[in-house]
Amino acid sequence: MVKLVKGIIEDIELTRAYNQQLIALARENPKIVDVEADVGNCIFGPEFQKVFPDRYINLGLCEQSLSSVSAGMSAVGLIPFCHTFAVFASRRMCDQNYISVAYAKNNVKIIASAPGISSGENGGTHHACEDIALVRPIPNIVIMDPADSTAMRWAVRKAAETFGVFYIRAERLKGYRVYEEDSEFELGKANVIRNGKDVTLIAEGSLILNNCLKAAEILEKKGISARVVDIFTIKPIDVDTIVRCARETGAIVTAENHSITGGLGSAVAEVLCDNNCVVPMKRIGIPNRFGEVAQPDELLEVMHMTEKDIAEAAETVIAEKKRNEK
Amino acid sequence: MDELKRFALEIRIETLNMLSRHGFGHVGGSLSIADALAVLYGKQMRYDPKNPKWEGRDYLVLSKGHCGPALYSALAIKGFFPREELLTINKLGTRLPSHTDKNLTPGIDMTTGSLGQGVSCALGMALGLKVQGKPNLVYAIIGDGEAQEGQVWETMLIAPNKGLDNFIVLLDNNRQQLDGFTNDISSLGDVCKKAEAFGWFVVDVDGHDVAAIDQAIEECKRSDKPGFINLNTIKGKGWPAKEAVLGNHALRGAAFEGVDEALADLRRQLEEMQ
Ligand SMILES: Cc1ncc(C[n+]2csc(CCOP(=O)(O)OP(=O)(O)O)c2C)c(N)n1
Ligand SMILES: [Mg+2]
């Protein structure tokens, strides 16, 4: 069972939590290596390097090789955690991730930092709006965008223990703690982090989950009871929980730090369609447009991803539900 | 040549001013290309600031797109847009995003930011101009870290094979990338020899000597091969405290401490030259 914490801002970034956990695991398991492509500094890589100089491999700027080289290292028995920014980990490494890593059934963990709009000031070229859409069709891949540092630590441990391909997003901005440290998670199992009966808000990742919680509070003031779910793993997706929420609350809003095409919103819609439980639904996320340079909080406004937008979407789907009931 | 030196100083001043006022930006690699930009926009390139899309212009692709601020400074000084606009860098709605964008900024001909791609786009432009029998030249500036990308070496192979004598690549060889010193991460080795072996006309110069850069470009223009200029540079050049030290790639907030003194010093140098 997960245990919830309320309203504390994290004292570390998820990239830091990732790095600390990787170092801890590397002490237990000599097969773990950290493979980088010149953005190691952005995930505290030098900390790993200090402890394990021989197991920190910085290839330089060459993301396509980052993926294939990691596949090769896996083929001789190592467990590579290879990292670059999410834009490059998905777009630049797409074919290599598909063939060298996944199709060849290698044991590679792809760590994608600065997902979605969180690299705001680097501008549109650096916004990873479509990484989940690009990796989601890869068979058997596990996709996670941990909501907080507890979830991140669990994700990294699970990835190290499980043979197979993981794609883990690592937020660089500080978010809110959601889970107590001794929470127990399950791969493929979403977590209900606020109960409610009128609508379900399903979120992925730390950047937007907290906006869903704030939206739930806005809605509560209007007498609307909103359930909030952290999807936890985007793939495999928790069909049971989504179907149950659809049946129990009759209306769904998804919220993601990603394009509304091909990510969480699409995945949830697929579940509803496949399981004969289509209910009114809206997707919050990056609309069909490119990113632009600005601060992340400004971008949340520009892209209509704030708590207000989520609350409005919730009211819309609830109204649709009521119309359908008549 | 004094004029080019002054121009380079002005580029450094504008770059440091806009980035420090904004509080974030890629300072090191912007400062290292100021002299090359001064030669290109002060002497070698054909362009019309009042008509940035003039058909007769030469093209520059800043393949290391994160150094847009230096190029914006050069463009503003030459009148492509008002100098005050430099202070909008990275603000919501700006025409000057941290990485160069051809759809936003007058005088920018290619969008970059994902390292390795720009130089291939530049090759495409050179090839496209040649196919159409046009005389325009295409320049590309790449970084030494960037030169670790496989895509760069695809360009290295293709350009001589296609006989692109209208194409000049300038390598800003400042010996540093994001994570540290290039030689500690993955050295380019003897990059001039490598380029030569690939079939390029190669010149190895001090990348902070405007006369030497100018001479190198003249030689490349005369050659019937694509030109490759190895600019031996110092990352952070012009702000002594940030020259060739770790942590000078991108600065944020408090890391700009001391910038006022650096700016005052550069302004004094400029005055002394006038
Ligand atoms: C494909 C790609 N990978 C990673 C980055 C992130 N990044 C931006 S600048 C940089 C270092 C570049 O080093 P170099 O080319 O030597 O540039 P300079 O020293 O002139 O700043 C990195 C890794 C990027 N922009 N594109
Ligand atoms: Mg460099």
Side-chain angles (χ1 to χ4, degrees):
Chain A
M1 271 295 284
V2 297
K3 296 182 196 161
L4 303 176
V5 190
K6 227 178 153 190
I8 334 171
I9 296 185
E10 300 243 37
D11 45 13
I12 55 171
E13 304 83 355
L14 294 191
T15 42
R16 170 81 76 181
Y18 162 78
N19 176 262
Q20 289 173 347
Q21 180 69 318
L22 193 65
I23 292 171
L25 294 169
R27 287 189 210 281
E28 298 167 14
N29 188 343
K31 292 193 179 304
I32 290 175
V33 288
D34 180 345
V35 193
E36 298 286 345
D38 197 33
V39 292
N41 285 2
C42 307
I43 197 156
F44 305 98
E47 304 287 323
F48 187 98
Q49 185 177 26
K50 247 186 262 162
V51 190
F52 306 106
D54 299 337
R55 287 153 68 188
Y56 183 79
I57 296 124
N58 195 336
L59 300 171
L61 260 161
C62 54
E63 293 79 8
Q64 300 165 81
S65 294
L66 176 70
S67 175
S68 298
V69 167
S70 297
M73 296 180 90
S74 150
V76 294
L78 293 173
I79 307 173
F81 279 72
C82 66
H83 159 251
T84 181
F85 295 159
V87 273
F88 309 124
S90 54
R91 299 204 294 253
R92 193 66 163 253
M93 293 165 37
C94 194
D95 192 38
Q96 287 78 5
N97 288 345
Y98 199 92
I99 300 297
S100 307
V101 172
Y103 186 79
K105 295 196 164 54
N106 281 308
N107 186 22
V108 173
K109 320 302 165 186
I110 302 162
I111 310 303
S113 63
I117 56 166
S118 59
S119 71
E121 272 189 295
N122 278 324
T125 55
H126 283 57
H127 296 174
C129 308
E130 61 301 292
D131 59 325
I132 295 172
L134 287 174
V135 293
R136 205 161 63 86
I138 298 176
N140 303 323
I141 194 169
V142 174
I143 305 174
M144 300 184 71
D145 189 358
D148 77 349
S149 55
T150 306
M152 174 60 91
R153 290 198 171 88
W154 187 89
V156 181
R157 175 173 290 281
K158 193 73 187 173
E161 288 170 356
T162 313
F163 191 99
V165 187
F166 279 63
Y167 183 90
I168 302 176
R169 286 175 133 201
E171 184 58 69
R172 282 168 84 182
L173 306 170
K174 280 185 192 160
Y176 282 82
R177 272 290 292 289
V178 182
Y179 301 110
E180 290 276 16
E181 263 165 44
D182 57 346
S183 289
E184 276 170 39
F185 300 96
E186 215 180 296
L187 193 76
K189 186 101 195 65
N191 304 308
V192 177
I193 57 175
R194 182 184 164 119
N195 287 316
K197 58 179 182 17
D198 299 329
V199 60
T200 308
L201 314 178
I202 305 177
E204 69 80 51
S206 74
L207 190 74
I208 199 130
L209 178 67
N210 196 55
N211 283 358
C212 286
L213 288 169
K214 285 193 216 154
E217 274 160 34
I218 296 176
L219 292 166
E220 190 177 80
K221 287 196 187 107
K222 296 187 170 178
I224 298 168
S225 151
R227 183 179 297 180
V228 179
V229 172
D230 169 17
I231 197 68
F232 196 60
T233 55
I234 295 156
K235 185 171 182 170
I237 196 145
D238 185 349
V239 174
D240 292 346
T241 299
I242 294 170
V243 169
R244 183 162 47 80
C245 291
R247 298 231 156 97
E248 288 173 1
T249 67
I252 287 182
V253 175
T254 56
E256 58 196 304
N257 180 17
H258 184 275
S259 165
I260 55 169
T261 304
L264 174 71
S266 298
V268 169
E270 289 160 15
V271 169
L272 299 183
C273 286
D274 283 350
N275 292 278
N276 188 30
C277 60
V278 173
V279 295
M281 173 179 159
K282 287 229 167 283
R283 294 164 297 153
I284 295 287
I286 299 157
N288 183 26
R289 54 158 294 178
F290 293 110
E292 66 180 296
V293 71
Q295 300 298 332
D297 51 342
E298 293 172 325
L299 287 170
L300 285 173
E301 301 252 346
V302 171
M303 303 291 186
H304 303 292
M305 292 160 67
T306 65
E307 58 269 25
K308 272 208 225 96
D309 299 305
I310 296 167
E312 249 169 54
E315 290 190 74
T316 308
V317 290
I318 290 169
E320 282 169 3
K321 170 172 75 170
K322 286 188 179 145
R323 239 190 343 266
N324 292 348
E325 280 164 3
K326 272 181 203 158
Chain B
M1 285 304 144
D2 276 356
E3 200 176 310
L4 296 183
K5 283 185 197 162
R6 277 197 296 274
F7 186 15
L9 273 173
E10 280 189 272
I11 292 174
R12 291 196 163 93
I13 291 167
E14 292 292 4
T15 301
L16 271 184
N17 189 45
M18 85 172 105
L19 295 182
S20 60
R21 288 225 210 164
H22 177 67
F24 168 73
H26 294 94
V27 169
S30 293
L31 291 177
S32 57
I33 55 169
D35 305 288
L37 290 174
V39 175
L40 289 168
Y41 284 89
K43 182 149 182 275
Q44 288 290 350
M45 283 174 63
R46 286 166 293 188
Y47 61 87
D48 177 3
K50 295 291 159 258
N51 181 13
K53 300 264 177 235
W54 171 49
E55 290 242 337
R57 73 188 183 281
D58 293 329
Y59 296 81
L60 169 69
V61 177
L62 184 61
S63 194
K64 39 172 253 170
H66 57 287
C67 300
L71 180 49
Y72 302 152
S73 299
L75 293 173
I77 293 165
K78 287 295 170 188
F80 281 84
F81 48 84
R83 276 204 197 198
E84 306 83 74
E85 198 171 334
L86 292 173
L87 295 178
T88 68
I89 183 91
N90 277 356
K91 303 269 192 289
L92 182 62
T94 185
R95 294 199 291 176
L96 310 176
S98 69
H99 298 76
T100 47
D101 186 328
K102 85 191 218 304
N103 298 307
L104 285 179
T105 318
I108 300 291
D109 281 317
M110 187 49 75
T111 299
T112 55
S114 184
L115 292 166
Q117 296 189 24
V119 71
S120 295
C121 297
L123 180 142
M125 292 158 81
L127 187 56
L129 290 162
K130 197 150 226 47
V131 166
Q132 298 173 81
K134 294 188 176 167
N136 322 44
L137 295 183
V138 180
Y139 297 88
I141 299 179
I142 64 173
D144 55 328
E146 179 178 20
Q148 293 163 340
E149 290 281 358
Q151 187 168 1
V152 170
W153 294 93
E154 294 173 16
T155 297
M156 293 301 286
L157 194 63
I158 298 167
N161 284 338
K162 300 297 172 200
L164 298 182
D165 57 359
N166 57 344
F167 186 30
I168 298 176
V169 170
L170 300 104
L171 169 65
D172 177 24
N173 201 343
N174 60 22
R175 268 84 179 168
Q176 285 181 267
Q177 49 192 116
L178 192 152
D179 276 346
F181 291 95
T182 309
N183 283 345
D184 295 339
I185 294 167
S186 185
S187 166
L188 297 184
D190 188 338
V191 74
C192 290
K193 247 196 202 144
K194 285 177 184 163
E196 229 158 53
F198 274 68
W200 293 64
F201 176 79
V202 179
V203 197
D204 193 18
V205 297
D206 174 352
H208 300 307
D209 178 342
V210 287
I213 300 168
D214 182 55
Q215 177 68 26
I217 295 176
E218 287 296 336
E219 287 172 26
C220 287
K221 281 182 171 173
R222 282 197 296 273
S223 164
D224 57 1
K225 296 175 178 174
F228 183 90
I229 302 177
N230 183 37
L231 300 167
N232 295 284
T233 55
I234 295 167
K235 196 154 175 167
K237 174 77 179 176
W239 182 355
K242 300 289 174 193
E243 287 179 4
V245 293
L246 288 177
N248 63 2
H249 178 71
L251 304 187
R252 188 181 286 283
F256 279 100
E257 211 187 292
V259 74
D260 291 338
E261 291 76 5
L263 272 168
D265 189 46
L266 289 167
R267 291 198 175 104
R268 199 178 25 77
Q269 290 177 41
L270 187 62
E271 261 169 42
E272 277 168 12
M273 293 200 64
Q274 260 145 10

